[in-house]
Amino acid sequence: MEKIISLAKRRGFIFQGSEIYGGLAGIYDYGPLGVELRHNIKQYFWDKFIKEREDTYGMSAAILMPAKVWEASGHTELFADLMVECLLCHRRFRADQEEVLSEHEEEHKKSLKEVTTFKKMWSGPKVFNLLVETRLGSSEETATSVYLRGEITQGVHVNFKNVLDSMHPKLPFGIGQIGKAFRNEITPRDFLFRQREFEQMELQYYIKPGEKVGREMFEYWKQFALDWYYGLGFRKESLRLRQHAEDERAHYAKDAWDIEYNMPGIGWKEAWGIHHRGDWDLKRHAEFSGVDLSYFDEVEGKRYIPCDIECSGGVDRAVLFVLLEAYTEDEMNGEKRVYLRLKPELAPVKVAVFPLLKNKPELVEKAREVYLALKKQFGNVLFDDNGNIGKRYRRQDEIGTPYCVTIDFDTLGEKPELKDTVTLRGRDTGKQERVTISGLGERISSKRP
Ligand code: ATP
């Protein structure tokens, strides 16, 4: 994790939020490379969950929602963690994170001479609500309390009727979205894993109520979400599915499973949740808003409130897990190197183009020509003429660029039989081959690095 945090900062992936002002705990900013990686992950979600399917719709709801929404969803009352305070230093922690509590105890133990003092360490647990509240309105009297959404889910449920009335879908169908969520986490930690502002990608899949259909659909989406996650490039043994125990489940959930990632040095941690939410959300919003949120089933000739199977994943956790999974140290040509074994589709830079020497205008000109042509085709292409070629390769390896292209004197026709060919170098193996400029685009799209 330390290596990833340092690489992420040094190479422009992720920075501490507002760092020059000392930063904010649990808040991160994405730099030029990180924003591309995150975008590619979100695009892959959108393609698989929305664009390639016939039974789902996309939407984008607002972040600010009235307090009533969160009363209906149960968040005002129940979206809370138990918190304990260290009576020695007054830091606060989640009561259920035993590992963190004992780590903290160890820190004090080291500095305390009297173990007896240590015994009086923790306060009794207090309930702490995670919703982030703010106010909208220009005067004290008229301002109203609103919440930054604690999950993106409710934005879909409150638009269920709008989608029904505008798109006229038949059950089963899904509505997905990607967007920011905010939680006043008591102990933000582990870099992007537990933040106070983060992004989620979700699908709410509405189905006809019933035991059998519920079970079948749940199994289908569990597998679909797992396959999607493997599609990000994870090894078989790095992911697992785990069913929630009864006391872990939300009170309304009929079944709940997590996709977990085996974080190096930390252990199994939640990446996605697949939840059978029953008809809880729509029923509650119908009750609290007074608007009928039932669906008319034309085949059965009756109205009912559909049930919801939810696939809910963290975008930032996916970014972190993809980086952890891709981070590789090996040896090449007798030297240690670090590279990110990212899938080419996810890599922030697709190809890097180098002129062999930066002080030979004819090499630079040709390299610029190749660079611009590739940029048209692949978008994120980088031009680098700084330092020796070996160093340039290492810099690209470290950010996971799958291919490097070098323009040398043979490209210009020094050896006539090699005119208009370049060296293409693959990231994982370091193997180099000679490819014609006209065939470069196809070679890069069809080959693994
Ligand atoms: P946890 O038990 O880790 O607090 P959760 O069960 O509360 O997570 P959900 O409410 O199911 O999480 O949220 C869905 C997804 O959103 C999670 O699987 C995770 O990927 C992501 N997520 C939740 N909380 C955070 C956070 N504080 N920072 C980053 N991502 C988060």
Side-chain angles (χ1 to χ4, degrees), residues 382-402:
L382 196 135
F383 185 88
D384 186 6
D385 59 6
N386 212 348
N388 71 43
I389 290 285
K391 284 217 173 94
R392 286 186 244 172
Y393 284 152
R394 293 290 185 272
R395 281 204 290 273
Q396 295 308 315
D397 288 344
E398 210 187 17
I399 60 169
T401 305

Side-chain angles (χ1 to χ4, degrees), residues 233-294:
F234 287 88
R235 285 167 279 237
K236 190 97 200 87
E237 65 275 17
S238 298
L239 299 177
R240 72 172 187 193
L241 276 166
R242 186 184 66 85
Q243 186 172 27
H244 282 203
E246 210 137 298
D247 60 355
E248 266 182 282
R249 288 209 298 257
H251 58 100
Y252 52 80
K254 290 187 188 313
D255 197 1
W257 288 67
D258 286 343
I259 296 173
E260 294 185 329
Y261 173 61
N262 197 1
M263 282 176 88
I266 293 181
W268 293 100
K269 289 286 181 180
E270 174 178 342
W272 269 71
I274 301 108
H275 309 123
H276 190 324
R277 297 175 77 111
D279 59 7
W280 160 263
D281 301 273
L282 289 182
K283 242 188 192 153
R284 293 277 289 192
H285 286 304
E287 190 188 314
F288 279 66
S289 66
V291 174
D292 179 8
L293 297 180
S294 63

Side-chain angles (χ1 to χ4, degrees), residues 183 185 193-195 198 200 270-272 275 312 314 317:
R183 294 182 188 177
E185 296 278 2
F193 181 78
R194 190 169 302 288
Q195 298 167 264
F198 56 97
Q200 294 182 309
E270 174 178 342
W272 269 71
H275 309 123
S312 169
R317 278 191 197 177

Side-chain angles (χ1 to χ4, degrees), residues 332-401:
M332 191 170 272
N333 308 326
E335 268 181 51
K336 281 209 157 85
R337 75 157 178 164
V338 166
Y339 76 104
L340 293 183
R341 205 172 32 83
L342 292 173
K343 276 187 94 169
E345 296 83 346
L346 297 185
V349 176
K350 303 290 176 222
V351 199
V353 180
F354 314 144
L356 183 65
L357 299 168
K358 81 179 201 190
N359 56 0
K360 296 282 175 216
E362 60 280 27
L363 283 180
V364 174
E365 193 187 326
K366 191 71 186 169
R368 291 269 320 156
E369 206 181 281
V370 172
Y371 160 74
L372 289 173
L374 288 176
K375 197 160 174 58
K376 226 179 210 169
Q377 184 172 356
F378 295 104
N380 292 325
V381 180
L382 196 135
F383 185 88
D384 186 6
D385 59 6
N386 212 348
N388 71 43
I389 290 285
K391 284 217 173 94
R392 286 186 244 172
Y393 284 152
R394 293 290 185 272
R395 281 204 290 273
Q396 295 308 315
D397 288 344
E398 210 187 17
I399 60 169
T401 305

